[in-house]
Amino acid sequence: MNSHHDDIRAVMWRNDKLYLLDQRLLPHQQKFLAFEKTAAVADAIRDMVVRGAPAIGVTAAYGVVLAARGVYATGPSAWRQAIETELALLAAARPTAVNLCWALERMKRVMEDVQGDPEPILLQEAKLLHEEDIQANRRMGELGAALIERPCSVLTHCNTGSLATGGYGTALGVIRSAFAVGRVEGVFADETRPWLQGARLTAWELVQDQIPVTLLADGAAAWLMSRGKIDWVIVGADRIAANGDAANKIGTYSAAVNARYHGVKLMVVAPLSTIDRSTPDGKAIPIEQRPAIEVLSLAGQPVAAEGAAAWNPSFDVTPAELIDAIVTEKGVVLKPDAARVAALFDAA
Amino acid sequence: MNSHHDDIRAVMWRNDKLYLLDQRLLPHQQKFLAFEKTAAVADAIRDMVVRGAPAIGVTAAYGVVLAARGVYATGPSAWRQAIETELALLAAARPTAVNLCWALERMKRVMEDVQGDPEPILLQEAKLLHEEDIQANRRMGELGAALIERPCSVLTHCNTGSLATGGYGTALGVIRSAFAVGRVEGVFADETRPWLQGARLTAWELVQDQIPVTLLADGAAAWLMSRGKIDWVIVGADRIAANGDAANKIGTYSAAVNARYHGVKLMVVAPLSTIDRSTPDGKAIPIEQRPAIEVLSLAGQPVAAEGAAAWNPSFDVTPAELIDAIVTEKGVVLKPDAARVAALFDAA
């Protein structure tokens, strides 16, 4: 019964190329784009062909493989210097998701010991990183589902499923696991303006899994909580600071404040690679501002009056004190703070 | 400098017909529709050709004039009975805005004393009601602006301007008056999904008035407040209960909870006709559920995955304890409760 979501892969390596499912076209069109150049991969990350912190990390890892192939073909003796430019392109694609830099660092460490052609060993590492992400998601699914004490409805924001990760999902992985054991009866999904990840992507994944999904305008979430319909808000993260503050898709902070006001619990689900121990707290997380046109238009059509400006931060930061649980593949941090987050790493 | 907004009229009586600016087409197209039949007016209210509680009230008053013309032409002796069916059509068009029923009741009282053709005296009353609404908005503008203590930015939700009223606006009237005296420096406007009244209507009005307006996704409002940029949230209402609980466009309650959390003040601006003394509290206010397609589509195009459901309440209720001030044309109610709301009517 859990077979369907295994079929969705947003990031794939096939025939020596990277394939990305173009998420800008979903749910109307399922089209994969093929990549052989690093610069094109960086563009795809920036333009949101692929999005979601873990999926960006996996994509970047494969991007390093393509980079290595290119620079090694050009100059087998000078590839180590030449690849730095390519890696910088990837690193600069989007600023908030730390998984991007984490994946690049991991690939760089493998490069250090390479003799000869770096592509085979880097590809092996990228595939391992990809597979580990899926396994981490499945483990988070189990750990998160265990926190849900009774069959209930949950609210989620943005998309954190197979499309946002190597496969299965972080917050949506928890929802899948909890649904499978009868702890989640239905999902309310914020449509998640301006990019509509909830309406376009999360609903698409859940419909395929036959998990009941009800969309709502982001502004309606507080009213829904006040009706007593929601036990948990379950979301992902793009970067978690050392003290547990969590950056995630714009609108998450509003949901967090409303959850606390209504006695609803908040679960943040993210792999260890999303925790950036070098970022002390949320104030130090860079917040990407995206183009105003995303707010001023809808589905490619202008909606706002000409002459209006727009404020379009892509992320916000939810302070640790509003988070009831951070779920990682290595364990759960309840009531997160700097000490409890550090303890997770010491245990691991 | 305040000349422009005087030009916008969403509801007009010209050449013995009712004209409504079709707000579904704004800001791309400015098209007036002409009405001569009550049923068509009821349809226009339900389908949101016209929206905003005070504008619906004014429209309904003119709808009664058209109803009277029709039934009196058919049977001058039996029009009093025949018109009841027409009034019921209007009353049933939308359930939440109490101004609709208030306007119908006012027109009915005038009918009682009519001798002969009811149209002239009803038209006179409808025009008076319309003019009084504009005057009330201007008075609320002054009273509300006086509550703003220092030049600041404000956040508003939905559209409460000339388009939502007889003219000038409720919450947007306060913003206009406050801008004119230098107390409002700029306006942040929630785009207000699903119908995008903020992006399509509020931005359009403010751009015409040359008041700086910045749109944002509804889910971004909390993050904006946390940045310390907002002193006041200023909104309208579709019905205010006797205890001060206020129904308004879905998303208002989320803004209210977030305002309280961030120490931002909340002002609700509405004419006395919006206060329903026969509704004891917010629990007794009927909340209109609108079609799921409004959430599942955008600008006429489907966005969500097929098979997804949607929850689409058109309004939510903000409890009085989250409201710092209710501004009416008869005065301001600070920290509203049942006694203070009643005192407003005793004074008036």
Side-chain angles (χ1 to χ4, degrees):
Chain A
M1 79 191 250
N2 275 341
S3 63
H4 249 310
H5 52 70
D6 286 327
D7 299 333
I8 305 174
R9 285 286 179 271
V11 185
M12 296 193 306
W13 185 268
R14 296 277 188 284
N15 308 317
D16 295 322
K17 290 179 202 161
L18 171 64
Y19 286 85
L20 298 175
L21 178 58
D22 190 344
Q23 301 192 29
R24 301 169 303 183
L25 305 179
L26 290 173
H28 305 301
Q29 205 181 334
Q30 295 179 44
K31 182 180 174 184
F32 279 88
L33 301 177
F35 295 86
E36 297 183 83
K37 301 286 180 197
T38 323
V41 174
D43 288 347
I45 292 171
R46 194 186 50 247
D47 298 342
M48 297 178 71
V49 171
V50 63
R51 25 65 52 202
I56 290 171
V58 173
T59 300
Y62 288 122
V64 174
V65 177
L66 295 175
R69 180 191 299 166
V71 296
Y72 190 75
T74 306
S77 62
W79 71 268
R80 281 181 200 279
Q81 282 167 296
I83 203 169
E84 292 299 330
T85 313
E86 305 280 293
L87 298 186
L89 269 182
L90 289 170
R94 293 191 73 190
T96 302
V98 77
N99 311 60
L100 174 55
C101 291
W102 169 87
L104 295 178
E105 290 303 318
R106 178 164 159 176
M107 298 299 283
K108 273 187 190 176
R109 282 197 298 277
V110 172
M111 271 187 250
E112 286 167 12
D113 303 323
V114 170
Q115 307 289 331
D117 183 356
E119 185 178 344
I121 190 165
L122 287 173
L123 178 58
Q124 186 185 325
E125 185 70 8
K127 286 181 171 174
L128 179 64
L129 182 153
H130 190 170
E131 181 56 31
E132 285 176 2
D133 184 67
I134 298 170
Q135 293 311 317
N137 288 340
R138 294 199 171 271
R139 179 66 182 141
M140 288 187 279
E142 289 166 19
L143 291 171
L147 294 174
I148 301 174
E149 291 175 346
R150 56 163 198 176
C152 66
S153 288
V154 298
L155 175 72
T156 191
H157 189 74
C158 198
N159 171 266
T160 57
S162 295
L163 296 168
T165 63
Y168 197 67
T170 54
L172 215 56
V174 168
I175 288 169
R176 285 177 158 131
S177 296
F179 182 80
V181 297
R183 296 291 170 86
V184 162
E185 296 175 333
V187 180
F188 286 88
D190 284 344
E191 62 174 5
T192 317
R193 277 284 289 159
W195 222 68
L196 294 166
Q197 289 93 335
R200 298 195 304 107
L201 309 180
T202 297
W204 185 69
E205 290 199 39
L206 291 176
V207 165
Q208 288 188 58
D209 273 10
Q210 298 184 288
I211 297 175
V213 56
T214 302
L215 287 162
L216 65 160
D218 304 328
W223 183 240
L224 179 70
M225 291 183 208
S226 79
R227 307 291 86 189
K229 286 185 184 298
I230 302 295
D231 276 12
W232 281 92
V233 174
I234 307 181
V235 296
D238 291 78
R239 186 184 306 208
I240 299 174
N243 73 338
D245 293 352
N248 192 45
K249 181 54 52 195
I250 189 71
T252 302
Y253 174 63
S254 178
V257 169
N258 275 304
R260 181 57 52 93
Y261 186 82
H262 293 98
V264 170
K265 289 184 177 173
L266 175 64
M267 187 191 306
V268 174
V269 187
L272 278 189
S273 55
T274 300
I275 301 178
D276 180 12
R277 300 186 74 186
S278 71
T279 296
D281 57 34
K283 289 193 294 293
I285 300 177
I287 299 295
E288 177 184 9
Q289 293 283 337
R290 291 195 60 88
I293 190 70
E294 289 184 354
V295 174
L296 300 175
S297 70
L298 268 176
Q301 300 186 337
V303 288
E306 244 179 273
W311 184 65
N312 188 22
S314 195
F315 303 93
D316 54 30
V317 177
T318 297
E321 63 259 31
L322 292 177
I323 300 171
D324 293 282
I326 295 175
V327 175
T328 77
E329 72 273 30
K330 293 296 182 213
V332 172
V333 184
L334 298 175
K335 298 183 186 303
D337 61 18
R340 294 194 183 100
V341 170
L344 183 73
F345 283 86
D346 296 342
Chain B
M1 78 193 256
N2 276 340
S3 64
H4 248 313
H5 51 70
D6 287 327
D7 299 333
I8 304 174
R9 286 284 180 273
V11 185
M12 295 194 306
W13 184 267
R14 295 277 188 283
N15 308 318
D16 295 324
K17 289 178 201 163
L18 171 63
Y19 286 85
L20 298 175
L21 178 58
D22 190 343
Q23 300 191 30
R24 300 169 304 183
L25 305 179
L26 289 173
H28 306 302
Q29 203 181 335
Q30 295 178 40
K31 181 180 175 185
F32 279 89
L33 302 177
F35 294 87
E36 298 184 82
K37 301 285 180 197
T38 322
V41 175
D43 287 349
I45 293 171
R46 193 187 50 246
D47 297 341
M48 296 176 71
V49 171
V50 63
R51 27 63 53 201
I56 290 172
V58 174
T59 300
Y62 288 122
V64 174
V65 177
L66 295 174
R69 181 192 297 168
V71 295
Y72 190 74
T74 307
S77 61
W79 71 267
R80 280 179 201 279
Q81 281 168 297
I83 203 170
E84 291 299 330
T85 314
E86 304 280 293
L87 298 185
L89 270 182
L90 289 169
R94 291 191 74 191
T96 303
V98 76
N99 311 60
L100 174 55
C101 291
W102 170 86
L104 295 177
E105 290 302 320
R106 180 165 159 175
M107 297 300 281
K108 272 188 193 176
R109 282 196 299 277
V110 172
M111 270 188 252
E112 286 168 10
D113 303 322
V114 170
Q115 308 291 330
D117 184 356
E119 185 178 345
I121 191 165
L122 287 173
L123 178 57
Q124 186 184 325
E125 185 70 10
K127 285 181 171 175
L128 180 64
L129 181 153
H130 190 170
E131 183 55 31
E132 285 176 2
D133 185 65
I134 298 170
Q135 294 310 318
N137 288 341
R138 293 198 170 272
R139 179 66 182 143
M140 289 188 278
E142 289 166 19
L143 292 172
L147 294 175
I148 300 173
E149 290 174 348
R150 55 162 200 176
C152 66
S153 289
V154 299
L155 174 72
T156 191
H157 189 75
C158 197
N159 172 266
T160 57
S162 295
L163 295 169
T165 64
Y168 197 67
T170 53
L172 215 56
V174 168
I175 288 169
R176 286 178 157 130
S177 296
F179 183 79
V181 298
R183 298 291 171 85
V184 161
E185 296 176 332
V187 180
F188 286 88
D190 285 343
E191 62 173 7
T192 316
R193 277 282 291 157
W195 221 68
L196 295 166
Q197 288 93 335
R200 299 195 304 107
L201 309 179
T202 297
W204 185 68
E205 290 198 39
L206 291 176
V207 165
Q208 287 190 57
D209 273 10
Q210 300 184 288
I211 298 175
V213 55
T214 302
L215 288 163
L216 65 159
D218 304 326
W223 184 240
L224 179 70
M225 292 183 208
S226 78
R227 308 290 87 188
K229 286 185 184 295
I230 302 294
D231 276 14
W232 280 93
V233 174
I234 308 182
V235 297
D238 292 77
R239 187 185 303 208
I240 299 175
N243 73 338
D245 292 353
N248 193 45
K249 182 54 52 195
I250 188 73
T252 302
Y253 174 64
S254 179
V257 168
N258 275 303
R260 180 57 53 93
Y261 186 81
H262 293 97
V264 171
K265 288 184 179 173
L266 175 64
M267 187 190 307
V268 174
V269 188
L272 278 190
S273 55
T274 301
I275 302 178
D276 180 11
R277 301 186 75 187
S278 71
T279 297
D281 58 33
K283 288 191 294 294
I285 299 177
I287 299 295
E288 177 184 9
Q289 292 283 338
R290 291 195 59 88
I293 190 70
E294 289 184 355
V295 173
L296 301 175
S297 70
L298 268 177
Q301 300 186 338
V303 287
E306 243 181 273
W311 184 63
N312 188 21
S314 194
F315 303 93
D316 55 30
V317 177
T318 296
E321 62 259 30
L322 292 177
I323 301 171
D324 293 282
I326 295 175
V327 174
T328 77
E329 72 274 30
K330 294 296 181 211
V332 172
V333 184
L334 297 175
K335 298 183 187 302
D337 61 18
R340 294 194 184 101
V341 171
L344 183 73
F345 283 87
D346 296 341

